[in-house]
């Protein structure tokens, strides 16, 4: 097995009988002892990040004031939408990396997330910090930089989905930026089909949303026979439908996004898999000190040299100490070339 040029993420949970404090210090020491003992392979610990225990999955719907139209209602959809246009311009615009210039005043916790107002990431931020001030960012990296430069206090970013799998971009950004995992949020995804007021779902000819949301609702979209249109995120799709006022175009987004952008919910829970859960990480500049009152998760990044059984030896370090690994993720090391290995276990860089 050729593993040169791959970094491995391990997420572990100590045995309930093990003290967390001794687990952290003993784990690093034992890792170094066992790895130095074996000369044929090498395991380099790049970082140990403490992470709070997982919060329970709840189908929460954070309360957001309904955006009301400011024009007089005359019974036409066009005038209603114009009223929403005026209010939509007051929503926070996603930050870019170059917009981050000044820190917050410290009056409340400011939490960055990727997407537009009404995105599922904002729902996760509000679940973690119900009284927080959410700050939208246009890209994942902008959220990382917002925390590093003290513009916000925390960032809540997705790391994996039960249907779509891991978000590899954020794994790579965790290695690039010096932030710490201080919490975790699990959010149940409830996709809704949204449309302009008065539109029926049978009238739709196209549906816009994030590519993953479109893939997760493939069954109903195929039944409707609509054209699938990709968007940057689900909330941006809802905003696009509200602004363009095209009656035959719908969006897939959350129920909270429907309230924010003044859209009707044409159908709820349209995802193919009911158990659609996204796990988010809470990131901060400083790590937390885990207590001993409950088990905590620890994330470790290490690299392996090429050789037979090197991954088995690395995992044996945890197994011999009764430490449970809840997830393993492998990422390529960009500074090392990919090796093509033949039957003799000898390969050359390509």
């Amino acid at each position: 097995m050729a593993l040169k040029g791959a970094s491995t993420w391990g997420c572990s949970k100590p045995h309930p009988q093990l003290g967390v404090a001794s687990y952290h210090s003993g784990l690093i020491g034992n890792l170094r002892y066992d790895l130095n003992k074996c000369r044929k392979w090498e395991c380099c610990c790049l970082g140990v990040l403490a992470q709070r225990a997982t919060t329970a999955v709840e189908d929460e719907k954070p309360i957001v004031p309904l955006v009301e139209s400011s024009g007089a209602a005359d019974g036409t959809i066009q005038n209603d939408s114009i009223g929403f246009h005026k209010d939509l311009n007051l929503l926070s615009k996603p930050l870019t990396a170059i917009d981050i210039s000044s820190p917050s005043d410290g009056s409340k916790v400011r939490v960055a997330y990727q997407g537009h107002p009404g995105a599922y990431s904002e729902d996760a931020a509000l679940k973690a910090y119900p009284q927080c001030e959410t700050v939208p960012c246009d890209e994942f990296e902008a959220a990382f930089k917002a925390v590093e430069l003290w513009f916000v206090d925390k960032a809540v970013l997705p790391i994996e989905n039960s249907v779509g799998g891991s978000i590899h971009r954020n794994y790579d950004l965790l290695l690039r930026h010096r932030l710490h995992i201080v919490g975790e949020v699990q959010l149940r995804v409830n996709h809704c089909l949204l449309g302009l007021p008065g539109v029926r779902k049978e009238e739709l000819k196209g549906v816009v949303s994030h590519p993953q949301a479109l893939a997760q609702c493939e069954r109903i979209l195929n039944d409707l026979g609509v054209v699938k249109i990709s968007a940057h995120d689900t909330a941006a799709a809802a905003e696009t439908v509200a602004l363009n006022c095209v009656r035959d175009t719908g969006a897939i987004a959350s129920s909270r996004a429907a309230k924010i952008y003044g859209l009707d919910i044409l159908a709820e829970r349209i995802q193919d898999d009911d158990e659609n859960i996204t796990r988010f990480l809470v990131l901060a500049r400083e790590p937390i000190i885990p207590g001993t009152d409950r088990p905590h998760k620890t994330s470790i990044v290490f690299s392996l040299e090429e050789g037979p059984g090197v991954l088995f030896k690395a995992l044996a370090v945890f197994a011999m100490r009764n430490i449970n690994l809840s997830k393993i993720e492998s990422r390529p090391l960009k500074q090392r070339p990919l090796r093509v290995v033949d039957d003799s276990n000898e390969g050359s860089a390509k």
Side-chain angles (χ1 to χ4, degrees):
M1 173 169 51
L3 290 175
K4 187 170 183 180
S7 62
T8 305
W9 279 84
C11 190
S12 61
K13 246 185 186 179
H15 190 276
Q17 296 180 352
L18 296 177
V20 176
S22 61
Y23 159 67
H24 284 287
S25 58
L27 175 59
I28 299 175
N30 290 328
L31 272 175
R32 291 176 179 171
Y33 173 78
D34 289 332
L35 301 182
N36 292 330
K37 188 176 179 181
C38 182
R39 298 181 179 178
K40 292 185 179 179
W41 61 287
E42 183 181 36
C43 178
C44 178
C45 179
L46 302 182
V48 179
L49 310 174
Q51 180 174 331
R52 286 183 183 144
T54 306
T55 58
V57 177
E58 299 178 7
D59 194 6
E60 295 186 350
K61 296 183 178 178
I63 300 175
V64 174
L66 179 63
V67 180
E68 296 182 355
S69 175
S70 60
D74 61 357
T76 63
I77 297 176
Q78 182 178 1
N79 288 340
D80 288 343
S81 300
I82 292 175
F84 278 109
H85 292 183
K86 182 177 178 181
D87 292 333
L88 292 182
N89 290 330
L90 301 178
L91 293 174
S92 300
K93 300 300 180 183
L95 289 174
T96 64
I98 61 176
D99 291 332
I100 301 167
S101 57
S102 60
S104 66
D105 58 3
S107 59
K108 62 168 63 175
V109 177
R110 289 168 57 87
V111 181
Y113 68 94
Q114 187 274 326
H116 287 62
Y120 289 109
S121 292
E122 187 181 28
D123 289 349
L126 292 170
K127 183 176 181 178
Y129 302 96
Q131 304 301 321
C132 74
E133 177 187 351
T134 56
V135 179
C137 300
D138 66 333
E139 301 288 348
F140 291 131
E141 189 160 18
F144 275 85
K145 290 183 178 180
V147 180
E148 288 181 326
L149 299 179
W150 295 76
F151 188 78
V152 298
D153 305 295
K154 303 282 194 300
V156 175
L157 297 171
I159 198 67
E160 69 171 323
N161 177 263
S162 59
V163 178
S166 300
I167 292 89
H168 294 140
R169 174 62 175 164
N170 284 336
Y171 275 107
D172 296 338
L173 289 173
L174 282 170
L175 293 175
R176 186 182 304 173
H177 296 270
R178 295 181 176 275
L179 297 183
H180 301 270
I181 302 173
V182 298
E184 178 181 279
V185 180
Q186 291 191 9
L187 184 73
R188 190 182 301 277
V189 176
N190 175 23
H191 287 313
C192 299
L193 182 62
L194 312 181
L196 292 175
V199 174
R200 296 181 298 108
K201 64 181 180 180
E202 291 78 13
E203 300 177 40
L204 298 179
K205 295 181 180 178
V207 172
V208 57
S209 191
H210 187 275
Q212 276 202 3
L214 294 173
Q216 293 170 6
C217 304
E218 191 172 9
R219 186 180 306 154
I220 187 173
L221 297 180
N222 290 339
D223 291 343
L224 292 174
V226 296
V227 177
K228 304 169 188 175
I229 307 169
S230 296
H232 193 57
D233 61 73
T234 55
E239 183 180 23
T240 299
V241 171
L243 292 176
N244 292 342
C245 298
V246 180
R247 291 181 57 84
D248 61 0
T249 301
I252 294 177
S254 66
S255 58
R256 198 166 67 88
K259 294 180 181 179
I260 293 176
Y261 299 106
L263 300 176
D264 283 353
I265 298 178
L266 309 182
E268 286 191 272
R269 301 186 183 279
I270 63 174
Q271 60 269 16
D272 297 340
D273 190 343
D274 292 334
E275 294 299 319
N276 190 344
I277 299 171
T278 300
R279 185 166 68 96
F280 295 81
L281 298 181
V282 182
L283 305 178
R285 289 179 294 274
E286 299 296 331
I288 62 170
I289 306 301
T292 58
D293 56 332
R294 56 177 176 169
H296 284 70
K297 282 185 178 180
T298 298
S299 297
I300 300 175
V301 187
F302 57 92
S303 60
L304 298 172
E305 289 295 331
E306 182 181 332
V310 291
L311 181 59
F312 167 78
K313 295 173 185 177
L315 299 182
V317 173
F318 301 98
M320 290 187 298
R321 289 157 182 80
N322 202 25
I323 298 172
N324 179 42
L325 294 179
S326 60
K327 181 177 176 60
I328 301 176
E329 185 75 29
S330 181
R331 299 296 300 145
L333 291 177
K334 293 182 172 58
Q335 67 270 26
R336 295 187 182 181
L338 179 67
R339 299 181 66 87
V340 179
V341 181
D342 53 25
D343 293 337
S344 63
N345 201 31
E346 295 179 357
S348 57
K350 297 293 185 183

